[in-house]
């Protein structure tokens, strides 16, 4: 009804302005008069609310906002509306500092980052322990594992990733062969491009490229899925029902990642070496020479090196994605932040672990 629309009238006098509120102070009515009411609420102003016909929580918030500004007094407020203002009296709202925010000092910023890193490391250690216990329990008691979810994740993270992993592996092998053939031709040893491509793919590039692709493709998906469940309070509902979120949500995804990463690594190795050999043959080397060079350059330890690392890479991709999902906070951007953190931290840890393996393999002559 037109007469029930919220209206604001202002009368000015020597004692200060007098604001008269009329009509319905619901969400729409309060929004219509809020900015003008705040602008006119000068020190010593009086708000006449005797003409208010309806007031809900939105109107109570408006009246409380006016009441807190420079001693503004509210008169004629109906009893029903007064009862809505009582809960606000018990809340101590922080006072906003006037002026621009202070610039954070360098020691404060460094300390805040350091505390955040320590807390994140603690969360990772706790999560690693919980996930390890749940995985061991799943090995001894297969009935505790949600195998249907595990195989579904295996399909989405593995089978659906064949194209992108194969394309990256093939192009990487071709690029390495093209870049190394021309310099080695100057010394007449361009046949050793086969050694370069095969050893690089098997020992290093095949596993790490596959892991990085899975971190960006599957790790982010894990974080987004569990993060959405966290925002929708579905994870809390699982806990309320007595179900362990780690065993219920994390174990199937981590197991699928551990199984699928070595298989994709083998696939990337084969496709990458094939791309490199194709380039070598394009430069005039016969298949017999290329095959003999390949079999002479590669042994079982080279294949095992990449496969051993791929198991750890898979555990990192699945674990970090699930951890970031469980760490999701409440808010519109929370899921996006968790997804970004999953990809960044996943790729960083993959490179760190790969460097550790490089040192270990060098020290053990493996």
């Amino acid at each position: 009804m037109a007469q029930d629309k919220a209206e604001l009238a202002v009368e000015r006098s020597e004692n200060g302005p007098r604001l008269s509120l009329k009509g319905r102070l619901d969400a729409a009515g309060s929004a219509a008069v809020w900015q003008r009411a705040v602008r006119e609420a000068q020190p010593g102003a009086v708000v006449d609310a005797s003409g208010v016909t309806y007031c809900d929580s939105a109107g109570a918030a408006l009246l409380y906002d006016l009441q807190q500004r420079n001693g503004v007094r509210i008169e004629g407020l109906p009893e029903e509306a007064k009862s809505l203002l009582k809960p606000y009296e018990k809340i101590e709202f922080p006072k906003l500092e006037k002026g621009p925010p202070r610039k954070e000092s360098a020691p404060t910023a460094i300390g805040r980052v350091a505390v955040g890193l320590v807390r994140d490391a603690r969360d990772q250690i706790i999560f690693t322990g919980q996930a390890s216990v749940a995985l061991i329990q799943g090995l001894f008691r297969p009935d505790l594992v949600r195998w249907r979810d595990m195989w579904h994740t295996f399909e989405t993270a593995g089978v659906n990733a064949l194209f992108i992993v194969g394309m990256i592996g093939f192009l990487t092998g071709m690029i390495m062969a093209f870049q190394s053939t021309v310099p080695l031709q100057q010394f007449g040893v361009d046949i050793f491009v086969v050694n370069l491509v095969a050893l690089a793919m098997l020992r290093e590039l095949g596993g790490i490229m596959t892991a990085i692709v899975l971190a960006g493709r599957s790790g982010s998906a894990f974080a987004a899925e569990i993060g959405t469940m966290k925002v929708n309070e579905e994870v809390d509902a699982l806990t309320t029902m007595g179900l362990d979120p780690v065993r219920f949500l994390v174990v199937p995804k981590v197991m699928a990642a551990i199984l699928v990463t070595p298989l994709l690594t083998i696939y990337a190795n084969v496709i990458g070496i094939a791309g490199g050999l194709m380039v070598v043959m394009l430069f005039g080397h016969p298949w017999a020479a290329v095959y003999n060079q390949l079999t002479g350059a590669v042994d079982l330890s080279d294949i095992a090196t990449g496969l051993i690392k791929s198991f750890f890479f898979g555990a990192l991709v699945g674990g970090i994605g699930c951890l970031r999902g469980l760490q999701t906070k409440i808010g519109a951007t929370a899921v996006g932040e968790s997804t970004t953190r999953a990809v960044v931290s996943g790729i960083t840890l993959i490179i760190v672990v790969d460097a550790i393996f490089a040192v270990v393999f060098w020290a053990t002559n493996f």
Side-chain angles (χ1 to χ4, degrees):
M1 295 182 294
Q3 61 268 27
D4 283 344
K5 284 185 178 181
E7 297 180 0
L8 175 65
V10 181
E11 300 177 5
R12 305 185 184 279
S13 63
E14 297 180 356
N15 297 327
R18 183 179 182 85
L19 284 68
S20 298
L21 286 171
K22 300 179 181 179
R24 294 175 60 88
L25 289 184
D26 52 12
S30 301
V33 300
W34 197 308
Q35 290 187 358
R36 186 187 174 199
V38 169
R39 188 170 58 250
E40 299 290 348
Q42 300 175 3
V46 177
V47 177
D48 181 10
S50 58
V52 174
T53 59
Y54 174 82
C55 182
D56 58 12
S57 58
L62 168 61
L63 295 174
Y64 180 81
D65 188 20
L66 296 176
Q67 200 174 36
Q68 298 302 308
R69 293 179 183 273
N70 301 324
V72 173
R73 191 171 73 256
I74 299 177
E75 297 179 349
L77 188 65
E79 292 297 327
E80 296 82 0
K82 286 183 180 180
S83 63
L84 294 175
L85 282 175
K86 287 183 180 180
Y88 290 93
E89 299 174 357
K90 302 178 182 180
I91 302 176
E92 295 184 3
F93 291 94
K95 295 183 179 180
L96 298 177
E97 298 182 2
K98 296 183 179 180
R102 288 191 231 171
K103 186 178 179 181
E104 191 177 48
S105 62
T108 303
I110 295 173
R112 179 172 53 80
V113 173
V115 170
L117 291 175
V118 171
R119 288 177 178 173
D120 188 59
R122 181 199 61 187
D123 293 341
Q124 291 185 28
I125 293 172
I126 295 174
F127 176 80
T128 301
Q130 293 175 339
S132 299
V133 171
L135 285 170
I136 294 173
Q137 288 178 344
L139 293 177
F140 288 97
R141 293 196 51 191
D143 57 300
L144 297 177
V145 180
R146 302 173 68 214
W147 294 105
R148 180 176 298 179
D149 290 349
M150 194 276 286
W151 290 116
H152 175 71
T153 305
F154 184 90
E155 178 184 357
T156 56
V159 178
N160 296 345
L162 286 175
F163 174 76
I164 183 64
V165 171
M167 183 184 68
I168 292 177
F170 184 77
L171 293 177
T172 301
M174 288 186 61
I175 292 169
M176 282 196 300
F178 270 119
Q179 294 295 328
S180 56
T181 297
V182 175
L184 292 179
Q185 274 184 334
Q186 300 176 3
F187 304 96
V189 291
D190 51 319
I191 189 64
F192 286 98
V193 171
V194 176
N195 302 52
L196 173 65
V197 173
L199 293 177
M201 291 299 301
L202 291 174
R203 297 186 67 93
E204 192 67 34
L205 294 181
I208 197 169
M209 285 192 311
T210 301
I212 290 175
V213 170
L214 288 180
R217 187 181 180 279
S218 302
S220 61
F222 296 164
E225 180 182 345
I226 298 179
T228 303
M229 295 179 66
K230 186 73 180 294
V231 171
N232 293 335
E233 299 182 351
E234 296 176 38
V235 176
D236 296 333
L238 290 175
T239 305
T240 303
M241 291 187 293
L243 299 175
D244 182 11
V246 174
R247 182 178 63 82
F248 196 81
L249 299 174
V250 174
V251 169
K253 292 178 172 55
V254 174
M255 289 183 67
I258 292 175
L259 291 176
V260 77
T261 306
L263 297 178
L264 286 176
T265 299
I266 295 173
Y267 173 71
N269 290 338
V270 173
I271 297 297
I273 293 174
L277 297 186
M278 185 185 71
V279 173
V280 174
M281 294 176 65
L282 288 177
F283 278 89
H285 293 281
W287 165 248
V290 172
Y291 177 77
N292 291 332
Q293 190 72 21
L294 176 64
T295 55
V298 175
D299 56 24
L300 188 60
S301 64
D302 299 318
I303 301 174
T305 299
L307 290 181
I308 291 172
K309 293 191 291 186
S310 65
F311 283 99
F312 290 88
F313 292 160
L316 280 176
V317 170
I320 289 296
C322 295
L323 172 62
R324 297 310 183 202
L326 292 174
Q327 290 177 334
T328 303
K329 300 178 182 179
I330 303 300
T333 61
V335 176
E337 292 175 357
S338 297
T339 304
T340 303
R341 292 180 64 202
V343 175
V344 173
S345 57
I347 294 175
T348 302
L349 287 176
I350 287 169
I351 296 174
V352 171
V353 170
D354 185 67
I356 295 173
F357 271 112
V359 175
V360 172
F361 290 152
W362 171 78
T364 57
N365 294 321
F366 187 72

